[in-house]
Each structure stands twice: as C-alpha cells, then as structure tokens.
Amino acid sequence: MKNLFKQLNESGEGVPPFVFLQFLRQVYPRFAEQDSQHGGYRQQDAEEFWNEMLTTLDQVLKKKDSSESTVVERHMSGRMVTTWECAEAPDEPPTVRQEMFRKLNCHIDKSVNYLSQGINKGLEEVIEKRSETLGRNADYKSTSRIDRLPEYLTVAYNRFFWKASESVDAKIVKSVKFPLELDATEFCTPELAEKMRPARQHLRELDDKKALERKLAKQGKSAETDDKKDGDVEMKSGEGEASAPFELNPDLKADVGCNPSGVYELIGVVTHIGRTANSGHYMGWVRKEKGIGGPDPQGKGIPETQHWWYKFDDDKVSMVTDDEILRLCGGGDWHTAYVTLYRAKKLE
C-alpha cells in the first residue's frame, strides 16, 4: 500500500494497482474468486474490502509486546456501550458490555428516509435468548450508545439483501439522505454528550462568526457597486466579536484521536451503481480541501461555502460540487452512497 500511494503521488496519470491487487488476493483469497458465468474475477463488496484493509493495517501497525494503541485504534475506532434488558423479568439486572467499533451501520427499510434514522435503527433491537431468571427463552431489548467517537467515522449503508426468489443479493435503491455535516451527539451516551457540549457550542459560534463575515463582505461589495458614501455596514450589538475562549473537557483533551465535539464533515463517499451485489460499478468521491491541490474551479453561481470533490471513475477523474454529492442518496438507478467517511470538524 505504501508503494501504491507513492506511485499515485508521483504520477500525473492513472496508476494500475496490479501489485496491490496481487497481494490483496493472496492475503484474502475470496477477493480472488472467479466468475464462472462471465469469466474473470467476481465482483466484490467495497465495504468488506474497507473492513479487511483496516483490520490488516491495525495488525501491521501494532508493535510487538506493546500495549500502545495503533493509529487505526486511536483515530478510526469508537467505543459502544450496549445494555440488555428483559421486559418480562423486570427484577433481572440488566447486562451491560462495552465493545469497540470501526463503523456505524445505516439500516434501511420503508420508514428510513435519513441517515440518522437508519443509524438509530441499528442502535436498538429486540432478540430472543434464554433468561435464567424465567428459566425459558424471552425477548431482550438491546440499547446501544456511543461513549467514544473517533476522529474518522465510517458509515455503511445496508443496501443489499438476499432475494431467494431470484437467488441474488438484491439492492435496496430507496433514497436515504445523508448530510454534509453530521452531528453524532444523538447516538451518544448522556455523559459523553455533556463532555462534548463546550466544543459543540464553540463550533456553533465559529460558524455564526464566519456567516457574519460573509454577510458583511457581501454588503460591502454591494455598497462599493452602488458607489454610496454611506455604505458602511451597521453591526448589531455583539456581532463580529471574537468568540469566547472555551475549556475542552480534560478527558477528551487527553484522548488522542477522538472527536471532542461530536460534529463531523463528510470527506469521502463510495457509491455503487447497479441492481445486485454481484454486478454494477463502484466509484469513489473525495472532497478537495480548500487551498490544497491548486485553486478551486470557478463557476457561475457557486457559493464560496461549497466544496469541490474529486470523482474517481476508474482512471477517469473529474470534479463536482457538494450539490452533486448530495444527489448520491439513492432512489433510482444512479450512483448510490454505500459507504460514507466523516472527519471530525476542526475546532479552529
């Protein structure tokens, strides 16, 4: 992988990742499965590849005989607290467990129209298991909440299901809208939400300040155009003042690689076009950082708050805006978001 990224950085043309694919298929033989009907390699699942890649990186980066956490554990892994309770046995103590996670799942059914709804569906479920108190099987409700958010948050969309009548992994093409900015506070424990509150408030103040600066700049330009001597912009009381300093929670400050605010920005999307898991086409969409990689393209009617994105269609690369990314929510035979990657919003 290191050599592949080196090639990509040094080349101005497309780079065929033959060596990387060769090693991938050796380490994970299922990615080398052949398609008996059409010949060549079978279509593989992009989310499974992402999971295996992170697992391998975590193993390779882990130092022998060391308890030190890896980059993957610190920056891409969160912690979930799950509580199991039996309504039929109210006197039975709840079972609580903690476990690490590297992705959140967005469950999709007829009632899900937005990403947050799909994530919440995955955080609560009812299963049947044996109750020692009742001496028989009973329904248990599990409720999960996050008590550590990583800097980078992966969300996988559960779009494929087994369709027995056709013997295929069919695709759910329903539209599920996802935001460019995600506030994950509603998925967290009350304790973590309270710890993150000062940082979230700080981000809101920064956003308000930037919005005011854009407003003043626009009004100033308008005044210049009209050539008015009294074109000074009147400020309301409190506007334009520097945001008050805030104290980051000590626990979050000491937790390297966490998201101290719970607020994320979308920086990457993997899409799938097609009707089954074994066919179709995957593409990658990566946000361009402002001021990096050359100037942003100029276009009429494109606000400065918009980000440009690189659209990777095999070796063909083009650029699109936020509006095009938001159209990847599904609802038809267009490219549909299958994996989204969010990054903690910077506090500066």
Side-chain angles (χ1 to χ4, degrees):
M1 181 177 290
K2 181 175 73 174
N3 292 336
L4 175 59
F5 272 86
K6 183 179 179 181
Q7 284 181 284
L8 289 169
N9 287 330
E10 294 176 350
S11 174
E13 305 294 331
V15 176
F18 294 134
V19 176
F20 177 79
L21 282 173
Q22 180 182 354
F23 278 99
L24 175 71
R25 289 164 178 158
Q26 287 177 0
V27 176
Y28 297 105
R30 75 168 174 277
F31 291 129
E33 293 176 352
Q34 299 287 316
D35 189 327
S36 58
Q37 293 184 343
H38 304 95
Y41 291 104
R42 289 184 60 186
Q43 171 95 335
Q44 297 296 330
D45 189 279
E47 187 218 333
E48 289 184 10
F49 164 72
W50 176 253
N51 293 337
E52 298 292 10
M53 183 181 69
L54 288 184
T55 299
T56 301
L57 283 173
D58 187 43
Q59 293 171 348
V60 170
L61 295 173
K62 194 178 290 291
K63 296 179 181 179
K64 189 176 181 181
D65 301 325
S66 173
S67 59
E68 183 181 351
S69 59
T70 65
V71 171
V72 174
E73 290 173 326
R74 291 193 302 271
H75 296 270
M76 305 195 74
S77 303
R79 187 172 58 242
M80 190 82 70
V81 178
T82 302
T83 303
W84 297 86
E85 296 179 292
C86 180
E88 299 177 69
D91 295 332
E92 183 177 309
T95 302
V96 181
R97 73 162 184 259
Q98 285 187 348
E99 57 185 356
M100 304 301 292
F101 69 90
R102 290 187 187 138
K103 65 173 181 175
L104 293 179
N105 290 312
C106 176
H107 293 253
I108 302 175
D109 61 22
K110 293 180 180 179
S111 67
V112 173
N113 296 304
Y114 298 94
L115 174 62
S116 59
Q117 294 173 327
I119 293 177
N120 276 318
K121 272 193 171 292
L123 297 179
E124 293 186 0
E125 63 177 338
V126 176
I127 68 167
E128 182 181 298
K129 66 175 186 174
R130 181 172 176 77
S131 168
E132 297 301 329
T133 302
L134 300 175
R136 59 175 174 81
N137 284 355
D139 287 342
Y140 281 78
K141 180 181 179 181
S142 76
T143 303
S144 298
R145 291 292 179 269
I146 299 169
D147 78 341
R148 182 193 190 265
L149 282 168
E151 180 180 1
Y152 292 90
L153 179 66
T154 300
V155 180
Y157 297 70
N158 295 353
R159 287 199 171 273
F160 295 113
F161 70 99
W162 178 249
K163 195 171 185 178
S165 61
E166 300 179 20
S167 298
V168 295
D169 285 316
K171 182 178 177 181
I172 302 172
V173 296
K174 185 181 190 300
S175 171
V176 178
K177 298 182 185 299
F178 55 88
L180 296 174
E181 184 171 298
L182 174 67
D183 187 343
T185 308
E186 65 176 298
F187 316 128
C188 298
T189 63
E191 294 79 11
L192 178 58
E194 179 59 27
K195 289 180 180 179
M196 296 188 301
R197 185 175 56 80
R200 291 176 66 243
Q201 177 62 32
H202 176 68
L203 286 177
R204 280 195 292 267
E205 292 173 357
L206 285 179
D207 288 342
D208 291 343
K209 181 181 178 183
K210 291 177 182 177
L212 176 62
E213 290 173 349
R214 289 192 296 269
K215 177 183 176 182
L216 296 179
K218 184 177 180 180
Q219 291 177 347
K221 288 181 180 179
S222 176
E224 286 181 24
T225 303
D226 295 339
D227 195 26
K228 293 181 179 179
K229 294 182 179 180
D230 58 348
D232 293 338
V233 179
E234 182 180 352
M235 284 191 185
K236 294 181 181 179
S237 177
E239 289 187 339
E241 296 178 3
S243 56
F246 77 103
E247 285 292 332
L248 191 62
N249 180 275
D251 294 338
L252 299 179
K253 190 174 183 179
D255 188 356
V256 178
C258 79
N259 181 349
S261 71
V263 181
Y264 288 92
E265 294 178 311
L266 183 67
I267 60 168
V269 183
V270 175
T271 59
H272 178 267
I273 187 170
R275 286 284 177 164
T276 71
N278 298 322
S279 63
H281 181 54
Y282 285 108
M283 285 171 45
W285 314 67
V286 179
R287 194 180 81 169
K288 177 185 180 298
E289 298 302 312
K290 290 183 179 295
I292 299 178
D296 290 348
Q298 298 298 314
K300 185 178 180 180
I302 298 176
E304 63 179 78
T305 54
Q306 283 259 22
H307 277 89
W308 284 90
W309 292 70
Y310 296 107
K311 172 184 174 182
F312 294 96
D313 182 3
D314 291 334
D315 60 342
K316 297 182 286 294
V317 181
S318 56
M319 299 193 76
V320 300
T321 62
D322 287 337
D323 292 337
E324 186 73 18
I325 297 301
L326 292 174
R327 283 195 280 270
L328 303 175
C329 58
D333 289 323
W334 182 238
H335 299 278
T336 304
Y338 187 46
V339 178
T340 48
L341 179 64
Y342 287 89
R343 181 183 63 200
K345 193 171 182 178
K346 295 180 181 178
L347 297 177
E348 300 177 356

